[in-house]
Amino acid sequence: MESGVVAEIKVHSQHNCYRLSPEQMTAIQDNGVSVNLQPGTNRIKLLEGDTPYVTGIGDQAEPWVLLWIYGGKVINKQTDTEVVATWASLNGYTDELILEVLEPATLCALLFDTSTGNHGGELTLSVTAI
Amino acid sequence: MSLIKFATTCLIAATVSQAVGESFSRQAQAQAFGEVPESFPIPGSLPDGTTLRVDGSTSMRLTNEELEGRFEQQYPNVDVELDASRTDEAFEALINGDIDVLSSGRPLTQEERNQGVVEVPLEQREKLAIIVGPENPFEGDLTFEQFAQIFRGDITNWSALGGPDLPIRFVDRPDYSDTRRALSTYTVFEGKPFETGATAAPIDDDETETVINALGEDGIGYSVVSQVLERDDVRIIPMHKTLPDDPRYPYSQYRAFVYKADADPATLAFLGFATSNPGEEVIGAAVDGDTAVADSDTAAADDGTAVATDPEAATADAAGTDAATGTDSAAAPIDTPPTAAPSDADVVAAAGAEAAGRGGFPWWILPLFAIPVLGGLLWWLLKKGGGAAAPAAGAGAATAGVAGAAAAGAAAVGAAGALDKSRLVLTPRDGQNAYAYWEVPQEKLAAVKREGGKDLTLRVYDVTGRPKQGPLPAPVGEYPCIEEHPDLHIPIQADDRSYCAELGYLSADKKWLPIVKSDPVRVPMQLGVDGAAPKGPNLGAMGAGAALAGAAALGAAKLGGKDKAANEAATKTDLELISGHPGELLLASPNGKRLHAQWDIPSESLAAARRQGGETMVAKLYDVTDYQPGADLPEPAAQVECSDQDVDAEFALPAADRNYMAAVGYQTAEGRWLPLAQSEPLQVAQSGIPGAAILGGAVAGVAGAAAMGNKNDQPSGEDVSVPSSSIKLSSQSSQKAYAVWDVPEAAKTAVKAEGGQTYQLRIHDVTDVDINQQSPKSTLTYDLAEADCDRTVPLPNGDSDYLAEVGYQAPGGDWLMLARSNVIKPLQTPDVSTSDETKDGDTGVSATDMAAVGAAMAGGLALSQTDKDQGQTVKVHSRKNALMFDAHQLHHIEHTVASTHYLSPGLYSLKIKDGVFNYDGDDSHPGEPFVILWIHGGTVINPQTGIPVSTTWTTLNGYDDSLTLTVREPATLCAFFVDTYPDDNTGEVTLAITKHEEK
């Protein structure tokens, strides 16, 4: 273990994989906001709008979004690996994903959530070819 | 099939869309109701020798017996003495101290309520059954009208109903019978005295046994259903081919328990059982014989005394209880659908579908069965955060009856989940008055008070020309509020302006502690009377959201055409108000699924109505769609029996695209209707359209008097322009611009008359484009509410030129422009302040507007249409676009799936040290270093967002990606992947967690 590292945990692709039911997968793709991605390089980020991103009771909410990218070959520049499906998150307005789209793919933006309360906000996700 | 493969199969259906799916748990929301305490303490024991005396309506007999059994099981040393005499006499006994609990089958009168008692209504009414003896040869069913005719003696022979030639005897209960009184409240008995005829065979007491014994082969009578179920000496006659276990079966009866305000612990414990599900009573510590008399107003648990379930959350339970448990006769469902907790709408829809096959059912009666009795409960507008579903669930749970535990559980969970469900609705009533209503959980109020909140206050702000959720200006009004009365009528200083309200506490040092803010609403221009607005807007053609919600505010507005005719007719047929002090009634459809009537009746009117014999307050809903001027009002589409203290009622929406009107008044024992107030007609547009649940800001426009005059002057087709409309676009930053417009209602009306349907703001990229000759390079389109007057918009490209247009889109796609702005370039500097006010016609371009800025990428809204070479933006809604994990799934993720690590407070960084994850080891892909992280359980801050949260999600992608995390409270890190078929996944990643020294 490197100096300063307090722990290293292994995350196994099967043993630590949550099995999504087909219904859940369908829900992800249906409930998420889908954007067709054409070949090229895209910058994907959250835009800070004029309207504060708030919870249902008006508290400031954490601006984040989960991205499920599938259906065609893409390369997340952070991993620099060609894959046909991947997940990424954008946390905050400065975070961005640079995605090279090799084949037409679909970007599905959604959130995971754990409670039915405090839902009132809306985020603007931009996808720009660069 | 792997996730990849599965996803591929779905790809064919994937488009740029914003499909949304509401997948929320339905919730109930506990509400305060009158003086009913929020809970009743159930001590672990009661002193020896305690006696509890319960008396009241015979209709409550089985309910009481079941409760007695539960109560004595817990307190075997307590003697419960049950009696079932009659409500009025038992009430006197209660007042005199001769009994401890009154079980009532009717709402108390105001006079009774004024005598220091607390009434705890049961949310579940008991169905009434029409019964005959087993030897009765009649085997048909009855309609409501036929039963009324039998009651009155207008039908005297069974042959008139298709039965044998046999005289009818109507076995009637005494006048004091609560069951008889319940029958009298139904519309079918209106118009004539509630009196029997020559066929009547009255009995001397209010006992069902007496009724049954008197039936013979020719008699017909009535009873609460629980007392006649599963007996071989009585038979229930179907009504409109439905039996009482069908939610459409018509008649039901109010039920309540009543106790004196100085009730002792045994009485409160009994109420605790009555408001708890069997087996779910929360038993506390013992109460010894010296325990002081409890204050019923503060009946919450004292130290060592646990409390029963919140009565309102649990009244459904209790209702299910007495229907579903205990005695044999109560074992069958009463009005319980087979599945737990459907929404009212569901019930109605299902019932409708079912009955279509049976035919003949009068649909107007349906909402009766789905309406909670607790008058103070407002389920509407829970649209935020599960919104429309939540109120439906609340009512649904209430109707669940026998579904018992499931429904009760849902209600309880809902109540718990509703803690953060604060909302404030501001509704203009006319150009000078508005009405504010709020729902704030007590826990929330308490939390703010702990922060120093002292005086609950409503502030009103004039937000005309301001961004919808921008900083608020100085308030224009400040009004003290009372926690127990969650609403307020407030004056409005000027019409034709936008306002919002905010509820909060003022601290002792006058610091403002906000709780909840309303959406902004536009107070329409106050028009003259007597036809100043000869033709109102076609509400049906408006944005549905505006029509649905805004119509509430427009209740007093001028409605044109058919609506106006209905209005006039309604007024003409409106019953003389009792005292010359007419009340006010506001009808709204806040969520497009329910109708909410709220009234304000002067106390002198209430008193006058009661003096004239008014016995039961009833709220009625009329479908006035096809109403002709001068005609009598139609039969009510629905009615709700209310208590005198109620100020509102809810109706399931019978159908959309109809006009409704509500009235509230008293029903006399003779069947006379004493109206107290009625609403203006409300047009409810097609439901289910986005925005329908938003009340604030959806104030529908009122037709201007000049509308007709302008109409014929307006050009049709593209570029319809009304000179008085204007729009200004100003740059706020490199990414944002602010558009503000002024469109007179007359202009809107004129353009809508030309076919304009969808009110829109359009932002065009007009770089190197002559907009008068060429199409814009790209356009962002925003659907607007009628009341909108401004919006901040993102600018996709900092190098581009932009202009804004406001107008209406016609169904065929034609753009009917009302105004076009100046051209701007995005500013290079960060945000600039926004002007609060915009003068009409001020469309000048400031120097700063024209400043060139660097490139920036931004986006639009909803179905924003952008240049394909530039990019696009979409909105991701935190609720509609979320995948919900329930508690079980989360537990599974944390304890079974994920690789977890406990994070003590401190500063951390997390990185993937090595390894890859591969969805499919059989393919040629090398795998990717990524992992999904869920951190929860304590407050943490991801500096990328800067927001303290108790749950956060992120991914790490690649070896250079890292997550910095400030852990304020102990939290749990869960690292995992997701896949539909993990079995062929390969690889493993190593996550390095580093804790840094705090500086």
Side-chain angles (χ1 to χ4, degrees):
Chain A
M1 190 179 297
E2 295 178 8
S3 174
V5 174
V6 296
E8 288 182 353
I9 61 174
K10 301 286 189 182
V11 190
H12 193 272
S13 58
Q14 291 186 20
H15 307 150
N16 302 118
C17 188
Y18 180 75
R19 186 185 295 267
L20 290 167
S21 68
E23 292 76 18
Q24 284 178 304
M25 197 63 228
T26 300
I28 287 174
Q29 295 176 179
D30 286 349
N31 289 6
V33 180
S34 296
V35 178
N36 284 338
L37 299 175
Q38 298 303 317
T41 302
N42 292 274
R43 174 184 286 114
I44 302 165
K45 64 180 299 185
L46 292 172
L47 297 181
E48 187 170 8
D50 176 71
T51 302
Y53 184 56
V54 296
T55 68
I57 59 171
D59 294 339
Q60 205 171 6
E62 184 178 45
W64 80 282
V65 67
L66 191 61
L67 306 175
W68 161 233
I69 301 147
Y70 63 98
K73 293 178 181 176
V74 298
I75 299 173
N76 179 340
K77 288 299 187 183
Q78 286 183 294
T79 65
D80 203 24
T81 302
E82 179 182 308
V83 294
V84 292
T86 190
W87 295 85
S89 70
L90 294 173
N91 299 76
Y93 298 113
T94 59
D95 199 5
E96 66 179 23
L97 167 65
I98 304 299
L99 191 71
E100 184 178 354
V101 179
L102 305 176
E103 297 173 349
T106 298
L107 167 71
C108 179
L110 74 156
L111 293 97
F112 280 174
D113 208 346
T114 58
S115 72
T116 56
N118 292 357
H119 298 278
E122 202 170 41
L123 291 160
T124 302
L125 179 73
S126 74
V127 181
T128 311
I130 57 176
Chain B
M1 181 172 63
S2 75
L3 186 61
I4 298 170
K5 293 161 189 168
F6 179 85
T8 303
T9 62
C10 296
L11 180 62
I12 191 168
T15 57
V16 178
S17 70
Q18 286 194 306
V20 295
E22 308 258 356
S23 58
F24 300 96
S25 302
R26 293 182 165 182
Q27 302 177 357
Q29 186 174 26
Q31 299 280 328
F33 173 68
E35 299 177 2
V36 178
E38 292 189 0
S39 56
F40 294 93
I42 302 178
S45 65
L46 290 169
D48 288 339
T50 300
T51 299
L52 185 72
R53 300 154 299 177
V54 182
D55 190 8
S57 171
T58 57
S59 63
M60 294 285 282
R61 184 191 300 279
L62 296 183
T63 301
N64 294 343
E65 289 176 357
E66 189 272 337
L67 276 172
E68 177 194 26
R70 291 167 56 200
F71 192 81
E72 289 185 339
Q73 188 172 15
Q74 174 65 31
Y75 308 116
N77 60 328
V78 174
D79 181 28
V80 179
E81 296 179 355
L82 292 185
D83 199 356
S85 55
R86 45 192 283 184
T87 296
D88 53 353
E89 292 180 354
F91 181 84
E92 292 302 321
L94 176 70
I95 297 303
N96 295 333
D98 297 330
I99 63 170
D100 303 295
V101 177
L102 163 66
S103 53
S104 176
R106 62 166 171 82
L108 294 186
T109 66
Q110 190 58 49
E111 182 182 357
E112 290 169 336
R113 285 197 189 96
N114 292 340
Q115 298 181 50
V117 297
V118 180
E119 183 178 13
V120 184
L122 298 184
E123 192 162 347
Q124 184 85 14
R125 298 163 67 97
E126 168 124 52
K127 286 295 183 66
L128 303 183
I130 309 304
I131 52 176
V132 296
E135 306 302 322
N136 191 311
F138 177 72
E139 294 182 347
D141 75 326
L142 298 176
T143 66
F144 307 146
E145 281 294 341
Q146 286 172 333
F147 179 69
Q149 290 173 302
I150 293 171
F151 178 91
R152 293 191 171 107
D154 296 336
I155 294 178
T156 60
N157 194 292
W158 288 104
S159 61
L161 303 166
D165 182 11
L166 185 69
I168 290 177
R169 276 189 311 112
F170 187 80
V171 180
D172 194 22
R173 292 170 180 265
D175 288 346
Y176 63 78
S177 165
D178 290 345
T179 307
R180 188 178 196 273
R181 191 210 62 86
L183 273 182
S184 72
T185 63
Y186 285 93
T187 304
V188 72
F189 291 104
E190 276 182 19
K192 296 179 182 176
F194 187 69
E195 294 174 356
T196 52
T199 58
I203 56 175
D204 295 332
D205 58 38
D206 192 23
E207 296 290 350
T208 297
E209 294 301 318
T210 308
V211 174
I212 292 173
N213 290 336
L215 288 174
E217 66 170 2
D218 57 349
I220 182 171
Y222 53 94
S223 166
V224 290
V225 73
S226 62
Q227 296 181 6
V228 294
L229 281 174
E230 298 186 358
R231 297 177 61 147
D232 55 11
D233 57 353
V234 66
R235 180 159 56 87
I236 300 172
I237 291 186
M239 298 286 287
H240 285 275
K241 300 182 180 177
T242 63
L243 287 169
D245 62 350
D246 189 310
R248 297 167 297 159
Y249 191 86
Y251 303 122
S252 60
Q253 179 176 335
Y254 178 95
R255 301 183 303 167
F257 286 105
V258 184
Y259 63 96
K260 289 179 73 174
D262 56 353
D264 60 20
T267 299
L268 298 178
F270 188 81
L271 269 296
F273 276 83
T275 54
S276 299
N277 216 26
E280 297 179 4
E281 305 89 354
V282 181
I283 311 298
V287 170
D288 60 34
D290 298 328
T291 301
V293 171
D295 179 354
S296 65
D297 290 335
T298 57
D302 296 321
D303 290 345
T305 304
V307 296
T309 312
D310 181 310
E312 278 120 15
T315 41
D317 314 352
T321 298
D322 68 271
T325 64
T327 63
D328 293 341
S329 59
I334 292 181
D335 61 351
T336 306
T339 55
S343 70
D344 294 344
D346 293 340
V347 171
V348 172
E354 184 182 358
R358 306 188 202 177
F361 194 85
W363 301 109
W364 56 266
I365 201 73
L366 282 178
L368 285 175
F369 314 120
I371 295 168
V373 176
L374 288 181
L377 297 182
L378 294 176
W379 304 105
W380 52 289
L381 273 179
L382 260 190
K383 57 287 152 220
K384 289 184 178 177
T399 62
V402 176
V413 170
L419 296 184
D420 292 332
K421 296 284 186 183
S422 301
R423 65 168 177 263
L424 169 62
V425 178
L426 181 66
T427 305
R429 304 184 70 162
D430 52 39
Q432 298 175 328
N433 297 283
Y435 175 74
Y437 162 76
W438 56 90
E439 291 179 348
V440 181
Q442 288 298 322
E443 292 83 349
K444 177 74 174 176
L445 293 173
V448 181
K449 282 195 282 192
R450 284 195 295 272
E451 295 173 12
K454 183 171 176 286
D455 300 319
L456 188 64
T457 303
L458 184 77
R459 285 181 164 180
V460 179
Y461 305 86
D462 184 338
V463 293
T464 309
R466 286 181 170 270
K468 273 190 173 175
Q469 296 194 36
L472 290 171
V476 297
E478 197 168 271
Y479 307 94
C481 304
I482 300 171
E483 289 181 11
E484 292 76 20
H485 299 139
D487 62 356
L488 203 62
H489 295 270
I490 52 177
I492 291 296
Q493 294 184 334
D495 62 358
D496 200 22
R497 298 190 67 77
S498 297
Y499 295 89
C500 81
E502 189 175 55
L503 183 74
Y505 275 99
L506 283 170
S507 66
D509 57 356
K510 300 304 177 187
K511 180 183 174 186
W512 180 241
L513 304 172
I515 297 172
V516 61
K517 188 177 76 169
S518 78
D519 284 336
V521 296
R522 185 78 176 175
V523 174
M525 184 186 304
Q526 181 75 24
L527 299 178
V529 295
D530 297 334
K535 181 178 181 180
N538 179 358
L539 295 181
M542 288 169 36
L548 284 168
L554 279 184
K558 314 299 177 282
L559 298 175
K562 180 168 59 178
D563 304 308
K564 188 182 178 197
N567 188 13
E568 291 172 349
T571 301
K572 184 171 182 179
T573 56
D574 190 10
L575 326 130
E576 291 182 4
L577 297 175
I578 297 301
S579 66
H581 299 282
E584 295 179 333
L585 195 158
L586 194 65
L587 182 65
S589 177
N591 60 9
K593 294 181 179 177
R594 304 187 65 77
L595 290 163
H596 176 249
Q598 181 135 8
W599 54 86
D600 179 14
I601 311 293
S603 55
E604 53 268 43
S605 296
L606 291 169
R610 287 193 289 266
R611 283 195 300 271
Q612 295 195 19
E615 189 173 80
T616 306
M617 181 178 278
V618 178
K620 299 182 178 183
L621 180 73
Y622 301 91
D623 184 337
V624 294
T625 308
D626 302 318
Y627 201 45
Q628 296 301 316
D632 292 335
L633 281 171
E635 283 288 310
Q639 68 180 46
V640 182
E641 186 177 345
C642 308
S643 74
D644 295 351
Q645 295 173 326
D646 287 347
V647 295
D648 62 357
E650 286 242 324
F651 303 95
L653 180 64
D657 273 338
R658 310 287 294 176
N659 296 344
Y660 294 96
M661 196 182 74
V664 64
Y666 272 105
Q667 195 91 32
T668 70
E670 300 78 28
R672 279 192 300 134
W673 173 237
L674 306 176
L676 291 164
Q678 70 182 41
S679 74
E680 298 289 340
L682 167 69
Q683 182 170 21
V684 181
Q686 194 67 44
S687 62
I689 298 175
I694 300 171
L695 179 65
V699 180
V702 180
M708 291 301 289
N710 289 342
K711 178 176 180 294
N712 295 333
D713 298 330
Q714 299 306 316
S716 60
E718 293 187 357
D719 295 337
V720 170
S721 179
V722 175
S724 60
S725 299
S726 63
I727 183 169
K728 177 184 176 181
L729 186 66
S730 57
S731 176
Q732 288 187 312
S733 72
S734 60
Q735 295 190 0
K736 293 189 290 186
Y738 177 68
V740 57
W741 55 93
D742 177 24
V743 179
E745 296 299 332
K748 293 178 184 176
T749 304
V751 174
K752 285 188 284 192
E754 297 293 337
Q757 188 173 59
T758 306
Y759 195 33
Q760 289 182 340
L761 171 70
R762 295 184 171 189
I763 308 295
H764 300 297
D765 181 340
V766 292
T767 310
D768 301 325
V769 167
D770 179 354
I771 192 62
N772 293 312
Q773 304 292 330
Q774 302 168 281
S775 298
K777 296 181 72 172
S778 66
T779 298
L780 301 172
T781 301
Y782 301 82
D783 287 348
L784 301 174
E786 292 282 327
D788 286 350
C789 62
D790 65 359
R791 180 160 294 200
T792 297
V793 294
L795 299 175
N797 194 319
D799 285 336
S800 297
D801 298 333
Y802 293 95
L803 63 75
E805 292 176 347
V806 63
Y808 283 85
Q809 185 178 46
D814 287 344
W815 175 234
L816 308 180
M817 186 183 72
L818 283 159
R820 176 181 291 166
S821 79
N822 48 295
V823 177
I824 67 160
K825 279 185 177 294
L827 281 173
Q828 195 165 19
T829 54
D831 294 356
V832 296
S833 60
T834 301
S835 170
D836 290 344
E837 300 291 340
T838 302
K839 300 289 189 297
D840 289 351
D842 178 9
T843 56
V845 182
S846 70
T848 53
D849 289 340
M850 300 302 293
V853 296
M857 205 295 301
L861 180 79
L863 300 173
S864 58
Q865 173 71 39
T866 59
D867 188 328
K868 64 182 183 339
D869 295 329
Q870 294 297 323
Q872 56 190 317
T873 64
V874 291
K875 288 288 189 183
V876 184
H877 194 282
S878 62
R879 173 169 51 89
K880 297 173 181 173
N881 304 124
L883 178 70
M884 301 297 298
F885 288 106
D886 61 28
H888 174 74
Q889 292 166 329
L890 293 171
H891 185 273
H892 178 64
I893 290 174
E894 178 176 351
H895 297 284
T896 307
V897 173
S899 180
T900 62
H901 183 77
Y902 172 80
L903 299 173
S904 60
L907 179 65
Y908 290 83
S909 62
L910 294 82
K911 293 187 67 170
I912 295 176
K913 179 184 176 186
D914 56 43
V916 295
F917 169 82
N918 193 337
Y919 271 124
D920 189 348
D922 296 331
D923 67 22
S924 59
H925 293 287
E928 186 181 33
F930 99 93
V931 68
I932 297 173
L933 306 179
W934 171 40
I935 302 113
H936 69 101
T939 303
V940 300
I941 302 174
N942 178 344
Q944 285 188 291
T945 66
I947 309 295
V949 292
S950 58
T951 292
T952 189
W953 303 78
T954 190
T955 63
L956 290 175
N957 300 77
Y959 303 118
D960 294 329
D961 196 6
S962 68
L963 168 65
T964 301
L965 198 67
T966 298
V967 178
R968 287 184 175 175
E969 298 168 345
T972 300
L973 165 71
C974 297
F976 63 104
F977 306 102
V978 295
D979 191 3
T980 55
Y981 186 74
D983 307 62
D984 60 356
N985 293 345
T986 59
E988 180 182 71
V989 298
T990 302
L991 184 64
I993 304 166
T994 305
K995 188 173 184 181
H996 302 273
E997 293 292 329
E998 296 279 5
K999 295 181 180 178

